[in-house]
Amino acid sequence: FYWDDYISIVRIPLIKDLSYFTNMESGQAFRGYGGFVSRFFGYFTFALNYRFGGLNVTGYHVVNITIHLLAALLVYRLTSLTFRTPYFSAARNNSTAESRAGFIALLAALLFIVHPLQTQAVTYIVQRLASLASMLYLLSLTSYIRARLIQQEPGKHYLAAGVWFAAALLSALLAMKTKQIAYTLPFAILMYEFLFFTRQLKKKAFALVMAFLLVVLATLAIKLSGGTLGEIISNLDKATRLQTDMSRWDYLATECRVIVTYLRLLLFPVGQRLDYDYPLYDTFLNPAVLLSGALLCSLLGAAVYSQYLSRKEADEKGILHSVIAFGIFWFFITLSIESSVIPIVDVIVEHRMYLPSVGLFMAAAAFVSLYGGTNPRIPGWPRTWIVAGAAAVVILLAGLTVARNQLWRDEVSFWEDNAGKSPQKARVFMNLGRARERRGNLAGAEEAYRTASTLAPDQTDASLNLGLIYTQSGRFTEALAEFKAALAANPDLGEAHNNIGKIYGTLGQFDEALKEFLQAAKLETTMAEPYNNIGYIYALQKRYPDALNAYEKCLKLDPDYDLAYVNRGMALLATNRKDEALADFRRALKINPSNAEAAEQLQLAGQGR
């Protein structure tokens, strides 16, 4: 688990109880959490992972890799189906372009599956949201194409076409409930319909695409529902920005540079990192932004020109030019939500290229086929040395992906590498500190937190983590100073109150500790630990009913909190409910076999003590 994995998977009660997904009243507390409602299906898959494997990362990785494999197969299918559309089969009866389909589909799928830029969407567990939404996006589009191809066949196949259209709609809805990039799907379908089926917007095609657009608009209307026009406009502004007040035009100017960086990473995947320290631009007149904009306009112009050639040339060259145009248009359409005028706090992250890369890989494969000549041994394939070169590129990219994943295997080395590439990013040093702390290197963790505090003195995370380091070292005065500094910056920081309460409890100041824990629980309604601490204080005060009630709330929020089971078991023993207490000790050991206190209590209970 890395970075947001801890927030969105490890520590969040949401995925640990399926009732949050089956009972909307139970899930009410999480409706605003991390886009829970808009990413409902993605979080549901995490909940299923947890249901069958807890927090064992193996299951999460197996699902992520399976999604990636399925997405690659769908890239192959999308390319193959494209060569079966009317534009190829009817308008190009005398061409040999269809025989090239196998090579183009295979190369596009291989580039997609092995490129190291995909690592973040697959290896970084929480970014399943990106890969799953993309897989469903591809499934929806390929199902739509299959339905349209059935409609082109002689005879009436209403049922078969209807089933595929239903599959397309269901996949689209699930994609939209996984990540917002899926809202571009209707426009991708409209483009595909125009390029490969009707070549003009006939009523039937337009109606099919409008059905998808209506789904998008209905979903947006529900999300933005408000009273007055001003409220709706305000909701729209909030819904189309994420954790930033950055100007939309400044964001767009910055994204001109970012998109060029994405293209560079596709061609030369070096200098990859999880968290970029990327410069922001506030004008389109900046030379770097101007050059980037010119490059992107040239790429878009190349797509338009390729589409022009596809209509002008009545042979396989025209057909392949159409695939190239489609791939480039796809790139811009699928990137439009995250790299346009919708400001997002992180201006660049590698997993955003997962879906857009599909189009560029298709375009690249078609380009190789178009200018690679003819293979005398394998019909439809380019010359042997071109095939060998393509194979070498695939193998090289695969090797880089293996190397990138080797770095992901060690959390400390990973963040040290990222810190070397983004030395001015406080958040990187925060994660480096946490990684070192989990490794037991408290001195190294303190050093990283201090660097983070220097880089971002207005942030509270560094103070919180320094306070925890000092608490573990018994430096309570320094720890209290850090926690209070965090509260001075943010009085609503429940975690700081909880940590102050633990220090007071350690010092025997139980009344003061209880006040802090109660305040923490009030501020952090989805945080389990304060309730465990409240229960512990109540038990010390022999207020056992109150203690049991607090433990119940704690375990509702986090069913895997083994210490809460031990503490509740002790409270149950104190009220002569031995069988229930033993059950709690056994649960604690099942969750954490190394929980010595639970093992000791079971042994004592077995001796009748």
Side-chain angles (χ1 to χ4, degrees):
F1 294 113
Y2 277 75
W3 199 6
D4 284 353
D5 289 342
Y6 289 99
I7 299 171
S8 299
I9 299 175
V10 177
R11 297 182 187 135
I12 182 176
L14 173 65
I15 72 156
K16 299 176 181 179
D17 189 342
L18 289 174
S19 68
Y20 289 126
F21 297 87
T22 58
N23 185 333
M24 291 310 294
E25 184 176 346
S26 298
Q28 189 69 27
F30 298 97
R31 289 185 65 82
Y33 179 87
F36 166 53
V37 174
S38 60
R39 300 181 176 187
F40 180 91
F41 185 67
Y43 279 107
F44 180 63
T45 66
F46 290 133
L48 291 177
N49 257 127
Y50 184 85
R51 172 65 179 81
F52 293 106
L55 292 175
N56 186 329
V57 295
T58 302
Y60 296 86
H61 284 305
V62 167
V63 173
N64 280 22
I65 292 170
T66 301
I67 290 169
H68 185 50
L69 292 171
L70 290 173
L73 289 172
L74 287 166
V75 171
Y76 184 94
R77 180 168 172 77
L78 171 61
T79 310
S80 299
L81 286 174
T82 299
F83 280 84
R84 295 171 55 190
T85 56
Y87 174 58
F88 291 88
S89 59
R92 298 290 193 270
N93 286 327
N94 298 323
S95 76
T96 59
E98 192 170 352
S99 63
R100 297 176 183 256
F103 171 80
I104 296 174
L106 179 62
L107 181 57
L110 287 176
L111 290 171
F112 175 83
I113 205 168
V114 304
H115 202 287
L117 195 57
Q118 313 293 41
T119 304
Q120 188 171 308
V122 181
T123 306
Y124 184 17
I125 295 174
V126 77
Q127 290 312 328
R128 173 186 303 176
L129 296 172
S131 58
L132 178 60
S134 299
M135 187 269 285
L136 292 166
Y137 193 109
L138 290 165
L139 180 60
S140 179
L141 178 57
T142 53
S143 297
Y144 174 87
I145 297 169
R146 185 71 188 94
R148 292 287 284 122
L149 289 174
I150 290 174
Q151 288 185 327
Q152 304 293 317
E153 296 173 358
K156 297 180 180 180
H157 306 283
Y158 300 124
L159 179 59
V163 169
W164 283 108
F165 276 130
L169 182 59
L170 177 60
S171 301
L173 291 172
L174 292 178
M176 291 174 185
K177 283 298 182 181
T178 300
K179 196 170 173 64
Q180 290 87 338
I181 56 174
Y183 289 116
T184 63
L185 179 57
F187 304 100
I189 290 176
L190 186 64
M191 174 187 65
Y192 195 94
E193 180 74 35
F194 177 72
L195 291 181
F196 301 119
F197 278 104
T198 62
R199 307 288 284 182
Q200 55 184 333
L201 294 180
K202 293 181 179 178
K203 291 183 179 180
K204 183 185 291 187
F206 186 73
L208 291 170
V209 178
M210 283 303 298
F212 282 85
L213 281 170
L214 287 173
V215 171
V216 176
L217 292 173
T219 305
L220 192 61
I222 293 171
K223 188 172 183 178
L224 301 177
S225 57
T228 66
L229 177 61
E231 290 173 335
I232 293 175
I233 293 173
S234 175
N235 289 340
L236 179 62
D237 181 68
K238 292 177 183 177
T240 55
R241 63 172 61 246
L242 182 62
Q243 300 174 358
T244 181
D245 294 325
M246 187 177 185
S247 157
R248 296 185 187 278
W249 295 114
D250 290 353
Y251 185 79
L252 181 60
T254 302
E255 287 305 300
C256 286
R257 293 286 298 136
V258 167
I259 296 172
V260 172
T261 301
Y262 288 149
L263 292 172
R264 194 271 298 167
L265 286 169
L266 275 177
L267 292 173
F268 303 104
V270 294
Q272 287 184 255
R273 67 204 80 167
L274 180 56
D275 197 7
Y276 282 75
D277 182 17
Y278 206 86
L280 303 180
Y281 297 89
D282 58 3
T283 175
F284 288 95
L285 299 179
N286 183 288
V289 177
L290 278 174
L291 288 172
S292 297
L295 178 61
L296 296 178
C297 288
S298 298
L299 183 61
L300 194 57
V304 173
Y305 184 63
S306 291
Q307 182 58 26
Y308 165 75
L309 291 178
S310 74
R311 296 195 173 207
K312 183 179 180 182
E313 299 173 347
D315 55 16
E316 67 267 21
K317 289 184 178 181
I319 295 171
L320 296 180
H321 275 123
S322 188
V323 175
I324 293 171
F326 168 75
I328 297 174
F329 287 139
W330 170 284
F331 171 73
F332 283 104
I333 288 174
T334 55
L335 201 55
S336 61
I337 285 190
E338 294 173 317
S339 291
S340 58
V341 292
I342 302 176
I344 304 174
V345 63
D346 296 309
V347 297
I348 176 172
V349 280
E350 293 173 6
H351 64 259
R352 290 179 189 162
M353 274 297 290
Y354 190 81
L355 182 61
S357 69
V358 171
L360 294 184
F361 290 140
M362 286 180 64
F367 184 87
V368 171
S369 179
L370 178 61
Y371 295 103
T374 303
N375 193 308
R377 294 186 179 87
I378 310 176
W381 283 48
R383 288 189 290 267
T384 302
W385 71 271
I386 295 291
V387 174
V393 169
V394 168
I395 293 170
L396 175 61
L397 291 174
L400 291 172
T401 296
V402 170
R404 183 69 182 153
N405 275 276
Q406 287 299 320
L407 188 61
W408 275 83
R409 292 173 69 88
D410 184 86
E411 190 177 14
V412 173
S413 297
F414 179 88
W415 284 112
E416 286 175 345
D417 174 79
N418 205 145
K421 295 170 179 173
S422 301
Q424 299 300 312
K425 196 69 178 283
R427 196 165 56 181
V428 172
F429 285 94
M430 285 298 306
N431 283 282
L432 174 58
R434 293 187 184 108
R436 287 173 173 172
E437 188 177 348
R438 281 188 281 270
R439 192 69 60 83
N441 181 3
L442 298 186
E446 181 181 349
E447 178 189 5
Y449 293 145
R450 288 209 169 278
T451 302
S453 182
T454 301
L455 292 171
D458 58 331
Q459 299 297 314
T460 59
D461 285 351
S463 292
L464 285 173
N465 285 287
L466 280 169
L468 291 172
I469 291 289
Y470 295 147
T471 301
Q472 293 179 63
S473 305
R475 298 154 63 182
F476 297 132
T477 302
E478 294 171 84
L480 284 172
E482 292 292 345
F483 293 140
K484 289 178 180 179
L487 283 174
N490 181 5
D492 295 330
L493 208 57
E495 189 176 352
H497 285 288
N498 185 61
N499 293 334
I500 291 172
K502 288 193 288 186
I503 293 177
Y504 285 149
T506 302
L507 296 175
Q509 302 173 30
F510 299 124
D511 290 338
E512 290 82 356
L514 182 60
K515 290 178 184 178
E516 296 293 338
F517 293 144
L518 288 169
Q519 182 66 10
K522 179 181 177 181
L523 293 171
E524 300 286 351
T525 58
T526 62
M527 187 176 175
E529 187 181 2
Y531 288 106
N532 175 66
N533 296 333
I534 291 167
Y536 186 78
I537 298 296
Y538 282 151
L540 287 176
Q541 297 173 341
K542 301 188 185 304
R543 297 167 59 181
Y544 296 116
D546 291 332
L548 291 172
N549 182 52
Y551 292 136
E552 190 68 29
K553 291 179 180 178
C554 172
L555 292 170
K556 174 64 176 175
L557 289 170
D558 187 355
D560 279 344
Y561 204 140
D562 58 310
L563 181 58
Y565 282 113
V566 173
N567 290 337
R568 188 172 73 171
M570 299 292 290
L572 289 168
L573 279 178
T575 55
N576 298 315
R577 295 159 66 178
K578 181 177 178 180
D579 290 340
E580 294 174 74
L582 291 176
D584 271 355
F585 296 143
R586 292 191 185 99
R587 286 193 195 99
L589 276 176
K590 184 178 180 181
I591 295 167
N592 180 10
S594 62
N595 191 314
E597 190 172 1
E600 181 183 359
Q601 291 301 325
L602 273 176
Q603 185 179 11
L604 291 174
Q607 297 171 356
R609 295 168 61 184

